[in-house]
Amino acid sequence: MSDRPSKITRLSTELANQIAAGEVVERPASVVKELVENAIDAGARRIAVAVELGGKRLIRVEDDGEGMTAEEAALALERHATSKIRRLEDLAAISTLGFRGEALPSIASVSNLLLRTRPRGADRGVEIRVSAGVTTAPREVGASEGTTIEVIDLFCNVPARRKFLKSDGAETTQISRLMTQLALGYPEVGFTLASGSRRLLQCPSATELDERLFQLYKSRDHLVEVQKTAAGVSVRGFAAGLAGQGHGPVRGPQNLFVNGRAVKDRTIAHAITHAYSAATIKERSPEVHLFFELPPDRVDVNVHPAKAEVRFLEPSLVHEVLRRALGDALADSPAPEVALEAAPTRAPGPPAEAAPGPWTQ
Ligand SMILES: Nc1ncnc2c1ncn2[C@@H]1O[C@H](COP(=O)(O)OP(=O)(O)OP(=O)(O)O)[C@@H](O)[C@H]1O
Ligand SMILES: [Mg+2]
């Protein structure tokens, strides 16, 4: 037996949170994403976001969702505390955007955070502050129904992270892009984004996806409707058509949602490229806004630290449904000069399975 002191010690909660924050919170836009997704999960109909200095000085997200009691608000700031799952099996039936119970404690560990909330139907709200890792006891305050979270001086205690941030303008652009994407995913929710005194986005609650598309992007004449359901996988949305586009489809943003979650996905990207290359000779990044719905047990959402990717149980099925959906939509778009059959009928071959990222085992 050696009497050497143990080389292993337990990290303090604060340090553990800061390390977790390294994965969850890369930049101001990641904070906005987590807070807005929480507001969506809370059933908000209206979400107002304000930032200052690219979100480095201030990020405020205000919602009119279900709010939290004093007890819930205190728990929400603790690591691994969530109202969204209770058992591992719940992940296979997940319908919320959050599930880890990590976002709020991670954000609070690298900023000064203020949480003010009032549950629907309650006559008072509570406020909690976290500063330099110290959390105050909930204090009763007057507040409107819903939740407001302010994140002040992000990365004030992590100079290494702060150094890697881009200019205020560039960080604001990222936030603006992210908000545009979230707003597209949830047309029924009203969104606003302000940077200082500038209003960057204003989308009143809409009834249809194409109304929201118009609010966000104005012209959408070049888009054709996409709609297909097969073998339990449904895809709907809009994609750049071929009509009158002498130079191929209009390039633009590629917004992809799987069960309401904005994702990047190689299977989907491959199917898009394939569908368009069958119809035009130009290799481009066509504008698409596509919404996939499939049973939650056929998609694993727990594969990426920022929840920005998912893994399909049957990637080749998703590939095929999308390829056909786009094929039909593009064939319907009145572009008689483009003969779909004229393209080489090379078998698509299922896309290579996404290589495991560094975070997967
Ligand atoms: N805006 C909000 N309105 C109402 N409840 C909220 C709000 N934000 C957070 N909560 C509550 O606090 C809990 C913790 O939030 P947090 O974002 O840390 O974790 P999560 O959303 O459960 O999971 P994830 O880490 O994947 O985001 C949530 O499960 C929810 O119950
Ligand atoms: Mg969350």
Side-chain angles (χ1 to χ4, degrees), residues 88-99:
L88 183 65
E89 302 86 89
D90 295 344
L91 261 186
I94 196 88
S95 62
T96 50
L97 297 167
F99 51 82

Side-chain angles (χ1 to χ4, degrees), residues 340-361:
L340 271 175
E341 284 70 27
T345 48
R346 184 170 50 89
E353 257 273 36
W359 45 83
T360 50
Q361 277 111 41

Side-chain angles (χ1 to χ4, degrees), residues 12 21 25 50 52 87 115 129 139 151 187 189 196-197 199 206 228-229 241 253 260 270-271 277 303 333 344 359 361:
S12 70
V25 191
E52 280 173 27
R87 292 170 293 269
L115 187 170
R129 286 170 189 270
R139 189 170 69 88
V151 174
V189 179
S197 57
R199 179 130 298 185
K228 185 157 224 78
T229 302
H270 184 278
S277 64
V303 295
S333 80
W359 45 83
Q361 277 111 41

Side-chain angles (χ1 to χ4, degrees), residues 79 112 146 191 197 228 292 301:
R79 190 117 187 260
N112 296 313
F191 287 89
S197 57
K228 185 157 224 78
F292 294 81
V301 295

Side-chain angles (χ1 to χ4, degrees), residues 228-234 293-295 298 314 317-318 320-321 324:
K228 185 157 224 78
T229 302
V233 177
S234 109
E293 296 288 338
L294 58 165
R298 289 162 73 183
E314 302 135 315
L317 174 64
V318 174
E320 187 56 16
V321 173
R324 286 195 204 168

